[in-house]
Every structure is written in structure tokens, then in C-alpha cells.
Amino acid sequence: MIVDCAVYTNGKRRDGDLPLVDALEASKEPDSFVWVGLHEPSPDEFEAVREEFGLHELAVEDAIAAHQRPKLEVYDGDLFVVLKTARYDDATELVAFAELQLFVGESYVVSVRHGEASALADVRRTIESDLSRIRCGPMAVLHAVIDHVVDDYAPVIDGLDNDMAEIEDAVFAVDRPRGFDPSERIFKLKREVLNFYRNTEPLLDPLGRLAAGQLPGAHPELASYFRDVEDHLTRAVSAVAHARDLLSEALDANLAQVTVRQNDDMRTISAWLAIGGFPTVVGAVYGMNFQHMPELETRFGYFVVLAVMLGICFMLYRRFKRVGWL
Amino acid sequence: MIVDCAVYTNGKRRDGDLPLVDALEASKEPDSFVWVGLHEPSPDEFEAVREEFGLHELAVEDAIAAHQRPKLEVYDGDLFVVLKTARYDDATELVAFAELQLFVGESYVVSVRHGEASALADVRRTIESDLSRIRCGPMAVLHAVIDHVVDDYAPVIDGLDNDMAEIEDAVFAVDRPRGFDPSERIFKLKREVLNFYRNTEPLLDPLGRLAAGQLPGAHPELASYFRDVEDHLTRAVSAVAHARDLLSEALDANLAQVTVRQNDDMRTISAWLAIGGFPTVVGAVYGMNFQHMPELETRFGYFVVLAVMLGICFMLYRRFKRVGWL
Amino acid sequence: MIVDCAVYTNGKRRDGDLPLVDALEASKEPDSFVWVGLHEPSPDEFEAVREEFGLHELAVEDAIAAHQRPKLEVYDGDLFVVLKTARYDDATELVAFAELQLFVGESYVVSVRHGEASALADVRRTIESDLSRIRCGPMAVLHAVIDHVVDDYAPVIDGLDNDMAEIEDAVFAVDRPRGFDPSERIFKLKREVLNFYRNTEPLLDPLGRLAAGQLPGAHPELASYFRDVEDHLTRAVSAVAHARDLLSEALDANLAQVTVRQNDDMRTISAWLAIGGFPTVVGAVYGMNFQHMPELETRFGYFVVLAVMLGICFMLYRRFKRVGWL
Amino acid sequence: MIVDCAVYTNGKRRDGDLPLVDALEASKEPDSFVWVGLHEPSPDEFEAVREEFGLHELAVEDAIAAHQRPKLEVYDGDLFVVLKTARYDDATELVAFAELQLFVGESYVVSVRHGEASALADVRRTIESDLSRIRCGPMAVLHAVIDHVVDDYAPVIDGLDNDMAEIEDAVFAVDRPRGFDPSERIFKLKREVLNFYRNTEPLLDPLGRLAAGQLPGAHPELASYFRDVEDHLTRAVSAVAHARDLLSEALDANLAQVTVRQNDDMRTISAWLAIGGFPTVVGAVYGMNFQHMPELETRFGYFVVLAVMLGICFMLYRRFKRVGWL
Amino acid sequence: MIVDCAVYTNGKRRDGDLPLVDALEASKEPDSFVWVGLHEPSPDEFEAVREEFGLHELAVEDAIAAHQRPKLEVYDGDLFVVLKTARYDDATELVAFAELQLFVGESYVVSVRHGEASALADVRRTIESDLSRIRCGPMAVLHAVIDHVVDDYAPVIDGLDNDMAEIEDAVFAVDRPRGFDPSERIFKLKREVLNFYRNTEPLLDPLGRLAAGQLPGAHPELASYFRDVEDHLTRAVSAVAHARDLLSEALDANLAQVTVRQNDDMRTISAWLAIGGFPTVVGAVYGMNFQHMPELETRFGYFVVLAVMLGICFMLYRRFKRVGWL
């Protein structure tokens, strides 16, 4: 679906909805370019766009497949950029990724959104209102879109950090419900974190090349802006790498916690076993049916034995208490 | 066995089956090249091919041994490329690798398949139907073959991902059958994953050199195509590295799960031991055969004791239930 | 808040408090520069400063956001440096970070402190008293500030090392209180250590560039001084990396300790179970109510059985003692 | 001991055993070189050789010490190469390393074997029979020796792989004998693997330099041959790195297996404890000696109790069977 | 304290003890240099030396602080080198480090020892006796000192290796004393090993620069000698890295061993519990006081029950023996 198709001349959007062919024509005038926004285009729609702009066969294959890593390719002087947008879903604690592709030529930008990639209407509005920026042409649009995508990583990181904190609390909670084990949550969060890293880190290299300004169509005024986005991405990637390392530690610490608790439980159990076991042994002995057992016939034998039993049980209790088994 | 031997002039396949010698002769005409396809050649067959094309002694040694890593060597201006084809067997959860070797000269391609390396007939058909590509000569064949091999990695990765998902389910299943432990499956999958990585990752460097177009016989039009294959391979390698990291976590998470379950079991067992232990202790005490035990002679002693026993057992049950041991 | 605003000419501070506009004017005289110190400036204050000095839009955005990684950016020949100050709180065993930003131009330095970043009054005093240094201009101020920040890392490292030593003692203590597990402390210290690494290591690269003297405004005399700071930072980062590695080992060693102790406990418990179990079995057998049990009627049966019981218990005790279960 | 001392002119070995001095003299003729083979030379023998060939003092120190890492040094235009030969001993599962050193000058090769380094007589025979190769002079000898040493790594890797497979079987065996734990074997194999890596990996860099042909005495025709050896070594090192990674996983998987088995055992034990515990509790209760216990006096009390006991035991058995504890 | 202060002219030491000022004067003659050896100099002594030789302020700060990493700095054409000497204490199994600093100018060497850094008298004697070397001037002294320091690493590595072997034996010992756990020793050895690595590895880079001969004062004849020291250091660092990796494995293997042993113990205990438990259950049943229990009145009931008990116990014993639980 063609979502929007606008021609910008000297940074100003021309009025009216232009059909694709006219837009392309208009974009060839000096200081003009066209930005075509597609959302999950049908093969026919895409073929139309491809022919008009002469997009490279390989880039088009990728654009349709939409299972790319973030990357930047140069085909005959035009750029093809793949971005991954991320959205954090707090309920499922999952990060949803979608794909956004940009074809950037001298006088055109074609953006292709897949899945739930966030709509670019806001980006368009923002850049349309910033004349000094949009005058730089298609590369300014590229910057605005990447900036938008990278800014959207921040809430994802906040969501992951929040989960991290909850997991920390769960791992070191004094009491935890039966059968509850944070290791599943740790594992699944780690999976998301590794996934996030994998979908964002490869963008660092393209951003570095854009900031260095050595690509076709580079605009010197934009270099700082690309470097700024690169810096934001570096921060996001560094935060995620930090989370990744901490989660491994959390898994190990959780195991240590469980093992320590198990040891404590075993000691408690054993202590009570000992306390209850002593009377049982004595009872078993004096429960034997020998005809000749002198103690049994004494007047106060039972009371003596009972007192001794209770005394020893109490001593055991005190002792276990002291060494920390109870 | 010589599977196919065809001469291409200006991108068109010459009719008829040519014997090796004639094919070689024909390939020396301008804009022509020959593609000889071998499958597990006997030493004699191979020697014949080697002499005709003047292949380098060392490359030939490697081609016969067929226990190579993926690599690209330049011998006197000709290329020798070793590829690993992969096929995933879902029943055994194993990845089967086979070897494919290519000798690429100015006017010839010799492809050598070993073991179950996937047949190249399809590749040949595809490239024969794409005139613009095959006109680029032997390097176009090289590209088509590598592209085919790398594309075949995708179903392998899908298979491994599928196993990953099953393993995740098994690790975190609430009930699992006696003696069942996913750690064996995790280990074996990890072995396959490491193996896959080892058989694919070294191909990245040769592809990078092919994409950079600095090798003898490089064709500028093909650079983008090789870069596209490199990109696909990067994606496969990145997915495998991701699986590798997750599997380590899965092994640790599994251990934590088992330990937590063990602790829960131990608590349950101990709770029942305590509940059953109390009447036993009391029974042992009142089972002693002392002649003088006043309680035994009372009218309702037994009922009182029985009531106390049951009461305490019930209290213990309630308490263990509350703290989550039952 | 503008904390201090002073003009230095030939290394000497001009008397009197100058308003911002006059200070800027004065700084344009030869061999002069102005150093404006801000602390959590309001947007209006900051806007005033920005306009006077023509600071770059992007740097200003960063300066207001204040969630940066350490970095050095060059905007139109001026430097923008972000530093992280660290302070160790012994009570909570946490490292508190704050942010310090510097805009360094040919004739001005603007320093912006956020949160609890240590005040720079001391740095100002120190550098004002070192004529030979302050004559080098704004870069000397930059050096003095970074030097101050990096020097403040030393007590943090001492604090972390101290915690490390305490943790080591706790892990390998012969007796530890019930429920006490150093793994939580190890984990939290590791989190601090990783955090510290993340907030200091990225500064190495900017310092390297400053030491190499290739940045605008570089002063050859200061290269050694920047290299010296770089060296101090390298030492701090290396110490932290060392702590990070040791903490992982500590977590593993702790788990091993707990497991060994558990095994020892289980053996002790079992030994006592065996010693108490034997009389219980014998008692149960002779407690059976069969009418015809010849042993029960013998004169010394009970004493013989008692002696055998005690003897075997003693033997078991000796044996368990010898094999180290008791 | 001087094992062999031969002069080669135009690739042909001169007849007769020459004393060292004459050999040196002869080697100075055009297209000639001498190859002196030493085996654990005495200091005097070595001193004689050193003086004749003017070997560098430092290389000689190393040659006598013989505890080197693989390396290649250039001293005044001559090469000094240290190699590690490896032999796998299947009985002890140990890899035995020995040292082989080569001094390579314009017209001489001095090879020094230490310990059980494999004899070079075979290498000498092979190269003497390959005229085209030996005509390249001392560098051809160097290639032949390195090729021989690296080829000898293959059986070592096979041996290690074989052990790996046995260990895998042991780790995941359903039944394993009491006290048997593969972790010792895993550890010791890992030690060998790490050792092998350490003794072979550093040779990659020298081989790379030899293949690049930038060293003194480099012969263009040999570059491919050195690259071939480099490739073989890369394969060996990659296989060893693979084994190293898998062994770490095996250790973890083994721990998980043991823990799972322990949990299964504990459940079985507990189930039987419960089944046996119920009659014991009932027995203890009805074994009490209260004078007034109505049930005891009933006609069928015993049979009812017995039936209830057996019934409950059977129910418990069924239940435990169902949940997989038995 | 000034330990020694000597002037060397043409490699020969001048007779007599010269005061510092005269020594400096004499060193300015051609082919002369002075070597001043200090041991923990007081600030005043050091200030005197600093002024005479014009040492750089920053290097002097470092020299007094003496908590450096190994490094090499160039200040105004003079070198400042920091070394770490190591000594292994077998009793405590600790490695003691001390610091050694060298200022190397065109015509002077100032060596500063801190703590227990090994005295340099031996080095001085050795180099004084090697005329060809000492004629190369101050750089020869630098080489001799570094060589000495690096050679002293060898016994440390031997000591650590020795501990490694002892630990391996302890981990895999069949019997180990109660409460004995090698994990503490493994951890502490690992700490030493990491520390050693941290104090030696950073010296590799300075040695590489010295071997490359690109530093001021480089003497072409010494390049090989520095490369030789670099090689020795590489060997030491590689050995330590090997120890580091093995120790991690040892910790894991130890944990596996303990867990296996625990499982074996639990099985043994359970087997005995079952064997002793059966008679107890039977005893409890026949110990019930029901008035009507027909078995009790039979003539041989007791003997039958006794026989059945013993028989079943024996069967259980046989069975547990067979499955390896006993």
C-alpha cells in the first residue's frame, strides 16, 4: 500500500496528492526530491515503484523477503538501508521487532514498512517542520527515520531494565513460593536481550559510515547528526550488553541461593530427626518384650527415662539452635 | 564420474555432449567457457581433468582428500574454492555436511561434489536461463553455486531453531517424566550448532574478498551479487551464534530448574516425615513396657493421646501448607 | 545555576565577578579565555550560555538530557566532553555516578555539573595556582578536570577491593550463620563493578586522542599530561576488570563450598541415623508380641541384646569417625 | 649427536659422508647447500656447528634450553624456527610434545631434534626424491619439515576426537558404575586439548609470514606450499578449538545429569519411605500399652487394620508410580 | 638511598665512588654514561637526582607513588620504564610483586627499586663483564634489567604449575578428609594467577616497541636481544593464561566430583535405610497389641517371620550390591 507520496522542493512539501509517475517527474527538478512511503506493498505495487526508481534487483529481493539484519548497502550510488524497529510488550515481557527499509537516491526516498514497524507519519511531520534540515534532501529523511527508530529503543531498554530489577528481587527474596524459580524468567529475558543485541548492534557500522560522511549523497551538515544517532545507539547497545552480563550472573547467583537454602533445609530437617529420633530409640529398647528387664520393674523407671529423654531432647535442641541448624 | 560437461558461448549452452578434450578446445574461443561437473571422481578421471586444465597440484590433493574447511585459494591466477553444504536431518537432529569444490579459471569451471553434497543440476538450469548473468563467465557460475549452498543453510537454521524451541519447552515443563533430562539434547544440539558454525563461518572471509572484487577474474557486475550472498551468510552465522549462546544459558537454566525441584521435593518429603514422625515418637514412648506408667492406666488416656496426636499432625500439616513445603 | 564565571588573561584570573556578556567579550582579547561553571542549569540559563558561545545544538541536547556515556565529540572545531564522576558509598556498597560535561572552545570552557558530581572549586583553585599550566588555555582546564575526575576513581576502587576481601573471607569462612549466603553480595558487587567499568572504560578512547594531540586546540605541552591521566585510567579499568573476573570465580567457589558442606552434613546425618537405627531395628524385632520367642524368656537375654546393641553402635561410631563421616 | 650431514648440489645429494668442515666448504659452491641433522647435541658438538655456520648467540641459547613456544625469528638474514612435534598416546590419553629446531641460512639447514621428536630420515628421503622441490634450496627443506610436523598433528586430533566420543557416551550413559565420574577424564582431556592448542596455534603466524614470502630466502615457488601447510594447521587448530568448547559443555552437561539422577533417586527413596512409613506409624500407635484401647479388643480389629494398611500402601505405590517417583 | 653510582666510559667502569654531581659531569664525555641505582629514595634524595638529570615531573610523580602497571613512556626523548618483579612464596602460595623503575636518557640510567624488588647488583656485575654489550650504552642496561626481571618470572611459573598439579591431585583424590574442599585453594591460586597476568602482560607492548627499535636511543644491535626477552615474556604470559583456563575447569570439575560423591553417598544411605527399614515395619506390625492376632499364637510364627525378615534383607542387600548402590 502506498501510504504517502510527496514531493519536496527547497524543503517545502508541494500541495496535493501526486500519482507516482508525476511525483517522480517533479522530483527531477533542481532542489527537489520525492518521498514515497509504502506499507507491506503487494508485489505489483512494489514492482511499479521499482521500475520508476530503477531500484536494484537484489535490494528489492531483500525488501520483499523482510528477514534482514540491519545493514546499509550501496548499489550503483544509491543506498539501501535496513532497520529493525523494536517495541517492548510489558505483559509478555517480549520485544517485538519489525522491519523498516529505505531506498535513498539522489532525488528520492522510498521507505518500506513491514509488520508492526511504527508508522512514519510523525517523522514526516517533524522533518517537514524543520526547513533547515529537510533542505539537505533525502539524506535528511534517512537521518530522521534512523533517529526515530533508535529513539524508540530507549523505552525497550527501560522495560528490560525494569524486568532485571524485578528478577534481582525475586532471586534474593527471603521467601519464595513453592515451585517458583526465577531461572525461567532469567532465561527468557536473556533470550530477549540477546535478540535485541543481535537486531541493533549491526547498525553501528552503517551509522559509523554515515557519520564519516564517505557515502554517496553524504551531506557535510548531517555528519554530526548521524554521529549523534550513533552515540545514542552505542548507549543502547552498551546497556543491553550490560544486562546480558548481569543476567548470566543472576542465573549463577540463583543457583547458589537455591543450593544454600537446600543445605539450610537439610540441616533443619536433620536436627528435628535427631530430636525425635532419640525418644524413638529409647522407646524401641524399652518396648522389647524380654521377661527379665530389671529397669521396667522399678518404681520410678518410667519417670526417670522420660526425664532423661526430655532432657536430652532439650539439650539437642539447644545445641542445634546454637550451631544454627534450627 | 563426470556428471555434466558443457561449453557456454556468449552465455548460451552449445548443443550436444562434448568429450572433455573437445570441450576444452571449444572453451578457448572468445566469450566461451566450459563447466565440468564431477561427482566423487576416481583418481583416473580426476587426473584426466587435472591435466587438461592444468590444475595446481596442491589444490588437487585437497580435492581428493575432501576434509577441508571452507576456503578460497589463488593458485597462479586461478581460484580454488571449498564449500560445505549442509542438510538437516530432523529425525536424528543432526546436521550432515558434504563438500563441494570449485576450480575457477579464465575459461573453465570444474566443480567436484563429495558425499551427499546437493546436486548442481538445478543451479545449472537456473543460471543457463539467466543470460545476463551467465555472460559474466566462470565467476557467475561460482556465484550461482555459492548462492545455492548458502541458501541451503536456511532450512538447517530453521531446523535448529525448531529444536531450540522444543528444548526450551522441555527445560521449563512443569512435569517431566522420570529420568528425563534435556541436558543430553542440549549438549548434542550444541555440538551440531558449533559444528555448523565451524563449517560456515570461515566462508565469510572468501566472500568478503569476492565482494571486494580484488581477485583474479573478478567481474564488477558480480560484486553486488557476492555481497548479497555474504549478507545471507552473515545472517546465518549470526543466527547460529545466537543459538550457541542461548544453548549455554539453557544448560544452566536446566540445572537451576532441577535443583529447585529437588529442594521442593526435599521439603515435601520432610514435611510428611515430620507429620508421620510425631505419632511414631509418641507410640514408641507409650509402647515401653514399664510396669508403672500412670497414664496407661487412666480411663481416657488413649483417647486423649490419640486426639493430641491427630491435633498436632493437623497443625503441622497446616503449618507446612502455609510455608509452602506441601 | 551559574556557579562561577571568570576570565583568565595570561594565566591570571581577572578580579571581580563579570556578567556573562562582559566575560565573553573579555575572553576574546589575546591570551584570554573564560571559564563558566554551571550546576544543573535551568533551560533559560543554559539557553543564554548556549547563545553567547554558539554551542552546537546536539551537544546542548545531550547536556540537558544528562544520561550520557563518557565521550568526546568535535563540533565545528570545538570539543564536547562528557565525564562520569564516581563516589563509593561504603554503607550501601553502591557506587554513585554523576555527570560532568565540558564545552571547550578556543577561548572558553563551559563546565556543566549534574546531580552530585563533585564540585570543581578545588580544581579551579589548583589550576589558578599553577601559572605555567593555565597559560596553555582551555585545554589545560580540560586536563585539570579530567585528572580530578579520574583521581576520584581511586577511592572507589579501594572501596570495591575492600568489599572483595570481605567477600573472600565470607565465602571461605569455616562457620557461617544460618541462611547467610554471600552470593547476593557477590552479585550486587559485580553489578557495581560492571557498572563502573561501563562508565569509565569508554573514556580511554577520548584520552588516547587527547594524548595523541590531534584534536583542535591541542597544546603540545599537555600531551604528556593527558597520557598520564590515560595511564591512571588504564590502571583503574584494569583493576576493575580484575575484580570482575575474580567475582565470577568467587560465585563458583561459593557454590562449590556450599555443595561440599552439604555433602559433609549429609554424611554426618547418615552416620547418626545408622547408629540410632540399629537399636531401633532390634527393639522392633524384640517388641513383637509372638507368644513363642525363646530369647525373651532367657535370664540374660536383655543384657546380652543390650550389650550387643551398644557394642555395635560403638563400632559404627568408630568406623564412621575413621572414614570421616563424623 | 650428528645424525646426518649431506651436501646437495642442484638438488642432488653428493655421495659419501663428509665431515662438517668439508660439507660447509662444499655448500658454498653455487646451487649447493648443506643439511646437518643433530639429535640432542652435546654442548661441544653444538658449539662446533655454531662456529662453522656462525649461528646467532640467542638462537643457540634457545636451541640448548629447548623449552620454547613455536616461533620464527630472523637473525641477520637467517631464520631460526622452533616447532613442536606431537604424538598421542592412547593408553594414557596424553599428548607427548617434543621440540624440533631449524636454523635456515642461504646455503645451510641445521635441524636439532630434542626428546622424542620424530626422526627426520623419512622427510629427508621424501625431499631427496623430489628434485623440483629440493632445487629450491634450504627453504624447501624447511617446508618439508614443517609439513611433516603438521601432518603428524592429524592422528593426535583423531585420538582426541575418539576420546571425546567416548566421554560423550560415558556422560549420557543410562547406567554408570558406582563412583564413576567422567569429570576427571573430561578435565584431563581438556588439559591435553588446551596444551595442544598452546603448542600449535603460535605456529600460524610464522606460517603466514612464510606463505606471504616476505622473509629472507623466500622462494616464490614455495609460497603456495607454505600456504597449504598453513591451511592444514588452521584445520587442526580449529578442530582443537572445537574440542575445547565441547568439553566445557560436556562438563556442564555431566553435572546436570548427575543432579537429575540424584533428584530421581531421592524421589524413589522418599516414595519407599512413605510406603514403609505408614504401617510403622499405625504399628506404633497400636503398640501403645494403654489399658483401655477399645479397638484392640474387637474380634477383627487386627484384620481390618492390616487390610487398611495394605490398601493404603498399595494406593501410595500406585500414586507414586503414576507421578513417576517410582 | 643511593645504592650505587658508577660512570662507564667505553664500556669500562671508572674506578672510585663518585658523588652524583661529578658522575653527571663525567657522563657527558663521549661514549660515557652514568648508572645511578636508588632503593626507596627519600623525597630529598630523589629531588636531588631529578634536578641533576632533569627528569620529567610526571615520571617522578609515578616513581614516588609506586603503584604502577608495567609501562614505557617517552618524555622529551627520554624513556621511563616501569617493571614488576615477582617472587613466589611457596609457604603461603602467594606471589609477591615489587616495583622497579628506570629512567633512561642518552647518557644516564636511573634505576629505582621499591619494596622487595630484587637487587640489581648481580645485573650490574653481569653487564660490566660483557664489554660488547655495555658499550651500547644505557639501552644495554635497560635490556639487562628487563631480562633479569623476566627471567625471574620462570620460578614463579614453576611454583604456580606445581600448585596446579597438587590441586589436580586433590580434586580427583578418591578419599579426601572431612570438610576439605580444594575450591578455596583453586580460588586463591586463580587470584594469584590473574594478578600475575595483570602485572606481566602489559609489558609485552613496551618490549615489542623496544624490539622494533623505533624508540629514541634505540641501538640496532640490541633489537634481537629485546625480541628475545619479549619471547621469554610471551612464554610466561602464555603459561599463565593456560593455568588460568585450567583453574576454571578445575573448579567446575571439583563441583562435579562433589556432586557425584554426594549422589553415591545418598544411594548407600538409602540402601541401608531400606535394609534396616523392612524389619522395623514388620516389628511394628507384630508389636501391635491386638488381642486377636492369630499369627502370634502359632508355634513357629516368630521363627518364620524372623527367617522371612532376614531373607528379604539379604535379598535387598544383594540387589543393592548389584545395581551399585552399596
Side-chain angles (χ1 to χ4, degrees), chain B residues 42-58:
Chain B
S42 70
D44 289 351
E45 284 173 335
F46 203 79
E47 183 56 23
V49 174
R50 198 193 68 72
E51 272 180 27
E52 292 298 338
F53 295 100
L55 307 180
H56 193 282
E57 171 196 3
L58 285 168

Side-chain angles (χ1 to χ4, degrees), chain D residues 242-275:
Chain D
H242 182 66
R244 185 192 56 194
D245 293 351
L246 262 187
L247 282 169
S248 289
E249 296 298 314
L251 203 54
D252 286 354
N254 182 41
L255 186 56
Q257 286 277 326
V258 173
T259 308
V260 166
R261 198 162 318 143
Q262 183 162 333
N263 198 23
D264 283 343
D265 287 353
M266 206 176 71
R267 288 177 160 186
T268 308
I269 293 159
S270 311
W272 283 116
L273 218 64
I275 292 170

Side-chain angles (χ1 to χ4, degrees), chain D residues 118-178:
Chain D
S118 58
L120 297 174
D122 285 355
V123 181
R124 213 183 261 265
R125 263 192 299 279
T126 312
I127 200 173
E128 282 172 1
S129 69
D130 184 348
L131 255 181
S132 73
R133 199 86 68 75
I134 199 169
R135 266 190 194 137
C136 301
M139 288 302 261
V141 173
L142 178 62
H143 167 266
V145 172
I146 301 184
D147 192 37
H148 174 71
V149 166
V150 171
D151 277 357
D152 275 1
Y153 292 161
V156 176
I157 301 230
D158 288 348
L160 296 173
D161 275 354
N162 195 36
D163 280 359
M164 279 289 304
E166 282 175 41
I167 279 172
E168 263 181 50
D169 288 348
V171 166
F172 300 115
V174 175
D175 285 312
R176 49 177 163 182
R178 174 177 174 64

Side-chain angles (χ1 to χ4, degrees), chain B residues 73 96 131 140 143 154 157 166 179-180 192 217 227 251 255 267 288 298 317:
Chain B
E73 295 282 348
L131 256 179
H143 167 265
I157 302 231
E166 282 175 40
F180 169 76
E192 294 307 298
R227 201 157 53 230
L251 203 54
L255 186 57
R267 288 178 160 186
M288 292 193 296
T298 57
Y317 180 83

Side-chain angles (χ1 to χ4, degrees), chain C residues 224-232, chain E residues 58 61-62 71 75:
Chain C
S224 293
Y225 290 87
F226 278 116
R227 202 156 53 232
D228 188 59
V229 180
E230 186 190 7
D231 192 59
H232 289 196
Chain E
L58 286 168
E61 262 179 34
D62 282 349
K71 65 169 179 177
Y75 291 114

